[in-house]
Amino acid sequence: AKFQADPAKYAPAYGCWCAVGTGKAKKVPTQPHLFKIVDGQLYLNSSDGAHSLFLKNEEERINLAEGNWPTIKSTPASDL
């Protein structure tokens, strides 16, 4: 019922692209088992290595990704 009431709230950050990759201005496909929920937001990552980097410093990785996402969100992955 909560999901149906507000599905956008449960959507992964960065259009389902890797949080660490987004921090590097790249759109990298993710693995659904490599995730972390931070302050109610779902973040996905692409590999064990990327996920480890995310977990070591979540705040820094999120800040980097937040800075890049407005620029890359409308750009096709193949163009990055």
Side-chain angles (χ1 to χ4, degrees):
K2 288 181 182 181
F3 175 79
Q4 288 179 337
D6 189 6
K9 177 180 177 182
Y10 299 94
Y14 318 122
C16 295
W17 298 105
C18 177
V20 172
T22 302
K24 296 177 180 182
K26 304 279 184 192
K27 286 184 172 176
V28 182
T30 56
Q31 299 294 319
H33 66 282
L34 299 172
F35 73 94
K36 177 77 186 276
I37 298 172
V38 179
D39 296 328
Q41 178 64 62
L42 173 62
Y43 296 92
L44 299 171
N45 286 294
S46 61
S47 67
D48 289 330
H51 194 56
S52 291
L53 287 173
F54 184 84
L55 295 175
K56 285 181 185 176
N57 195 337
E58 296 165 5
E59 184 178 352
E60 178 184 354
R61 295 297 169 178
I62 292 169
N63 286 337
L64 288 169
E66 288 293 317
N68 287 328
W69 186 241
T71 303
I72 70 169
K73 72 179 176 181
S74 297
T75 304
S78 60
D79 291 347
L80 294 174

